Amino acid sequence: MGWSKQRLVEVARTRLGGAKLIVVANREPYIHRRANGGVELMRPAGGLTTALDPVMQACGGVWVGHGSGDADRETADARGRLAVPPDDPTYTLRRVWLTPEQEEGYYYGFANSTLWPLCHQVYRRPTFDPAHWAVYREVNELFAAAVLEEARGGPAVIFVQDYHFALLPGLLKAARPDLVVAQFWHVPWPNPETFRVCPWAGELLDGMLGNDLLGFHIQYHCNNFLETVDRTVESRICRERFSVGRGDRQTRVLPFPISVDPDLAAEYTVGWQDRVGELRAAHGLGDRPLVVGVDRVDYTKGIPERVRAVGRLLERHPEWVGKFHLVQLGAPSRTNLPAYRDLNAEVQTLADAVNRTHGTADWQPVVFVNRHCGPEDIYALYRDAAGCVVSSLHDGMNLVAKEFVTARDDGQGTLVLSQFTGAARELTDAVLVNPFDVDGLAAGLHAALAMPADEQRRRMRRMRAQVSDNNIYRWAGMLLSEASKLVPDADPPEVVPTAAPATLPFIRAAAATTLTTAGGLL
Ligand code: G6P
């Protein structure tokens, strides 16, 4: 049986056995901003929130996140809570307020200037600033207090997201050993040689080993993590079970490749022709084939590399002059950091140079749309494009690749995909490229543009089946099921109650349903 929203609802109901689900993610799924004299609702760019929102809509519960919008306070209650999605509420968003200094030290500082470059092997030197580290600890404590408040008075499963919260699992377990704590690390985990330069490596690992379950996208990152633990902290590592033991506690370390909700595409592509018509007119695209890139403007995404590759393609294959456009949607991201701010300008400069060298009076090969675009425009472009290019230099998964595939209900279109993404392990029918190799990337673009329709269909059929089977509901279902099995004092599932008695500790109810509900699936 395939995974659907309904099946996840069922798994969450039976496995959670009445325990509250609390997701913690720095980025909130709904941001309120002041705009045009009123308040505007914004959906942030970035795979994490897009992937988790449908899961929370299915399961219900609380999402604890940073209230980052300038109209966030006035749209929440005194405790920072509001029901979301605002037009059809299914779960609670609990906003945590940070001072500008906390946002600076924790988010821009330790999370995005230390851990982000440390985990992505793209040759950016991480900063190691003790002041950032102190604020990162402080903010992890602040979130721990909010989570503990939300979890008060009953069993709860805490599902922590990403590198913003390496210390949170340890803090939660210390305060409430009965909580089930799982964390998903959405970015790669580097090899031990890379990680050990971090002056606070031991403390970060201590925090993460507070988890009952720790997930990465791929086995390779799990292996790197276990190696890192082995060399850094005292522990017992079991390579058969993929677990780390410390004292009487165990942390299992397993791969869960994240994905998308394939049904979203159908929602967003309604009326796509009209939208595309407007976009084509606005950007002078005529009816030429498009290759689209959709990214946050981030130095891990290989955007300059792909613009250069367009230049190289036009040198090598002048037959493409005047025949296609690269439409690069680039949502500005983390722009308080010079590395990110400068990248917007760098991409624009490169695009201008390629356009100057190869463009004509009425044709510009590269169209850089340097703003936040809504999902309706993005999906319309996916649906219309001849191809999509994902040239990340290093990426845990990359959900743009999977979104593109789900948008192609016509079975057409080619995907040019960096071999350094987690997605490349699953989407082996993409044109796989090394984005550091400009000639190889240009050859990949050529192959994608020139691919015969029947080969496109063959490849797209297999990729669509892969994403449809391994969708976001499977990811969440597997994680929740695994988390529910892992609590140390779980009783074996001997008795199968029809309904979880309210007094039964969470994990007994959860474990008891293991065999009946989804026992064969995991
Ligand atoms: C990556 C990270 C996420 C993050 C997203 C957007 O996917 O793994 O944790 O939410 O980028 O970045 P931002 O800093 O805007 O949240």
Side-chain angles (χ1 to χ4, degrees):
M1 189 180 37
W3 279 91
S4 61
K5 191 175 249 183
Q6 290 66 34
R7 185 166 168 207
L8 176 63
V9 171
E10 184 59 19
V11 166
R13 195 179 60 75
T14 52
R15 295 296 178 103
L16 297 185
K20 194 171 191 179
L21 177 62
I22 303 176
V23 160
V24 195
N26 171 69
R27 183 60 65 200
E28 55 180 343
Y30 299 91
I31 303 179
H32 285 101
R33 289 213 170 133
R34 302 224 134 270
N36 311 318
V39 171
E40 186 183 82
L41 183 69
M42 226 260 302
R43 309 291 312 273
L48 184 151
T49 48
T50 318
L52 268 172
D53 179 55
V55 170
M56 287 304 279
Q57 289 197 35
C59 299
V62 184
W63 179 312
V64 181
H66 170 211
S68 58
D70 56 8
D72 270 0
R73 277 183 198 263
E74 67 204 71
T75 45
D77 71 12
R79 285 170 62 208
R81 302 175 106 239
L82 70 156
V84 292
D87 54 355
D88 183 17
T90 45
Y91 68 98
T92 302
L93 173 59
R94 161 81 189 257
R95 288 172 170 157
V96 173
W97 312 118
L98 300 181
T99 64
E101 294 74 27
Q102 285 173 329
E103 194 177 352
E104 181 61 32
Y106 143 82
Y107 172 78
Y108 290 109
F110 200 75
N112 285 314
S113 302
T114 307
L115 288 176
W116 181 266
L118 190 63
C119 290
H120 289 95
Q121 309 214 352
V122 297
Y123 309 101
R124 289 278 166 158
R125 185 175 173 153
T127 54
F128 295 107
D129 181 336
H132 290 168
W133 168 241
V135 180
Y136 182 82
R137 290 167 52 168
E138 176 185 315
V139 172
N140 270 246
E141 282 164 15
L142 196 67
F143 272 82
V147 172
L148 291 169
E149 192 182 310
E150 293 295 336
R152 196 175 289 156
V157 174
I158 318 297
F159 186 20
V160 180
Q161 310 302 313
D162 233 347
Y163 59 98
H164 311 85
F165 298 119
L167 304 178
L168 185 58
L171 294 167
L172 294 173
K173 271 288 176 187
R176 284 271 311 263
D178 64 306
L179 293 176
V180 180
V181 184
Q183 181 166 32
F184 191 76
W185 197 262
H186 290 253
V187 297
W189 189 270
N191 64 47
E193 285 301 306
T194 303
F195 191 73
R196 75 190 187 122
V197 305
C198 179
W200 307 285
E203 287 97 321
L204 289 167
L205 295 175
D206 280 345
M208 293 172 78
L209 293 174
N211 284 299
D212 299 299
L213 173 66
L214 175 60
F216 294 95
H217 292 294
I218 58 175
Q219 184 64 51
Y220 181 66
H221 299 152
C222 298
N223 296 349
N224 277 349
F225 181 80
L226 290 178
E227 279 297 311
T228 307
V229 169
D230 202 13
R231 297 214 207 160
T232 318
V233 296
E234 196 125 331
S235 61
R236 297 178 311 279
I237 296 192
C238 173
R239 288 176 203 280
E240 260 111 73
R241 289 193 78 237
F242 286 99
S243 70
V244 182
R246 302 182 87 197
D248 59 355
R249 292 218 50 264
Q250 294 279 327
T251 302
R252 286 206 83 191
V253 180
L254 297 173
F256 298 92
I258 202 169
S259 192
V260 294
D261 177 357
D263 296 337
L264 275 185
E267 245 172 68
Y268 288 132
T269 46
V270 175
W272 67 272
Q273 291 93 337
D274 293 344
R275 272 184 183 270
V276 160
E278 286 162 24
L279 289 165
R280 281 184 173 276
H283 297 288
L285 305 175
D287 56 3
R288 286 173 283 264
L290 308 180
V291 175
V292 295
V294 178
D295 305 84
R296 287 180 306 103
V297 179
D298 189 301
Y299 55 78
T300 60
K301 301 294 182 185
I303 304 172
E305 284 73 6
R306 85 184 64 153
V307 174
R308 280 194 204 100
V310 168
R312 186 59 59 90
L313 171 68
L314 294 166
E315 278 160 34
R316 291 278 159 96
H317 293 278
E319 70 270 23
W320 288 115
V321 170
K323 297 284 173 40
F324 81 104
H325 297 273
L326 169 70
V327 177
Q328 176 63 50
L329 305 187
S333 175
R334 307 175 191 169
T335 45
N336 278 23
L337 296 176
Y340 283 80
R341 221 174 23 243
D342 297 350
L343 188 61
N344 290 280
E346 183 190 345
V347 174
Q348 190 61 65
T349 305
L350 277 170
D352 292 345
V354 171
N355 288 341
R356 234 184 353 262
T357 310
H358 300 280
T360 59
D362 55 0
W363 176 73
Q364 303 278 281
V366 182
V367 176
F368 180 37
V369 184
N370 193 195
R371 61 176 165 78
H372 185 87
C373 293
E376 293 81 5
D377 284 347
I378 294 173
Y379 274 87
L381 278 171
Y382 285 151
R383 180 62 184 73
D384 184 52
C388 175
V389 54
V390 172
S391 54
S392 307
L393 305 179
H394 198 192
D395 215 327
M397 174 53 68
N398 193 284
L399 292 180
V400 166
K402 293 186 174 181
E403 281 175 2
F404 172 66
V405 166
T406 64
R408 298 316 296 247
D409 56 356
D410 61 339
Q412 296 280 107
T414 50
L415 175 63
V416 179
L417 180 60
S418 161
Q419 64 196 77
F420 307 126
T421 60
R425 315 265 169 141
E426 294 175 73
L427 301 178
T428 49
D429 281 290
V431 176
L432 295 177
V433 290
N434 172 358
F436 291 90
D437 168 15
V438 66
D439 288 311
L441 185 48
L445 291 173
H446 174 69
L449 280 164
M451 191 180 287
D454 56 344
E455 188 178 345
Q456 289 183 33
R457 270 194 292 276
R458 227 179 10 254
R459 289 177 182 237
M460 189 52 86
R461 193 174 50 244
R462 287 192 292 249
M463 292 195 287
R464 283 175 65 78
Q466 167 70 27
V467 178
S468 165
D469 292 348
N470 299 289
N471 58 36
I472 187 65
Y473 301 110
R474 180 176 190 273
W475 175 81
M478 302 291 261
L479 256 157
L480 288 183
S481 304
E482 201 58 53
S484 72
K485 288 194 295 186
L486 288 170
V487 177
D489 62 354
D491 285 344
E494 288 160 355
V495 186
V496 180
T498 44
T503 50
L504 206 61
F506 151 69
I507 195 56
R508 295 197 187 180
T513 56
T514 301
L515 293 181
T516 49
T517 318
L521 307 167
L522 302 178

